[in-house]
Amino acid sequence: MPRKEIHVVPNSNGGWDAKRNNAQKASKHFDTKKEAMDWSREKAKQEKSELIPHGKDGKIQNPNSYGKDPNPPKDKKR
């Protein structure tokens, strides 16, 4: 079963999109990256999924897991 992911990606016509993994169309379009991140973060928390933001160059920036993390941190800070 593939993990659930929400990607925040730049839209070629301007603004930012929240997209599911392998989706052709955006789930929702936003004018700013902040709006897209806020909405996507809440969705990821509700669905216990991964939030994967991308930069304007398309590179992944600081993904975050709100569900069962497939790669939890190795250091166990207390």
Side-chain angles (χ1 to χ4, degrees), residues 21-34:
N21 46 326
N22 300 320
Q24 296 297 317
K25 292 173 52 177
S27 298
K28 194 157 178 158
H29 177 77
F30 302 90
D31 291 331
T32 67
K33 185 173 183 180
K34 182 187 180 329

Side-chain angles (χ1 to χ4, degrees), residues 54-72:
H54 296 254
K56 285 188 177 185
D57 59 2
K59 292 183 181 177
I60 293 175
Q61 302 174 326
N62 302 322
N64 204 337
S65 177
Y66 294 99
K68 185 175 181 182
D69 192 345
N71 298 308

Side-chain angles (χ1 to χ4, degrees), residues 1-72:
M1 178 180 203
R3 68 181 184 176
K4 295 180 190 175
E5 298 174 348
I6 300 174
H7 293 259
V8 174
V9 296
N11 184 296
S12 59
N13 295 321
W16 294 83
D17 292 335
K19 293 177 79 172
R20 306 288 174 172
N21 46 326
N22 300 320
Q24 296 297 317
K25 292 173 52 177
S27 298
K28 194 157 178 158
H29 177 77
F30 302 90
D31 291 331
T32 67
K33 185 173 183 180
K34 182 187 180 329
E35 292 170 323
M37 287 294 294
D38 290 345
W39 183 87
S40 299
R41 185 175 296 109
E42 288 306 312
K43 279 291 185 193
K45 287 178 182 178
Q46 290 171 3
E47 298 173 3
K48 296 181 173 38
S49 61
E50 305 289 319
L51 174 59
I52 305 175
H54 296 254
K56 285 188 177 185
D57 59 2
K59 292 183 181 177
I60 293 175
Q61 302 174 326
N62 302 322
N64 204 337
S65 177
Y66 294 99
K68 185 175 181 182
D69 192 345
N71 298 308

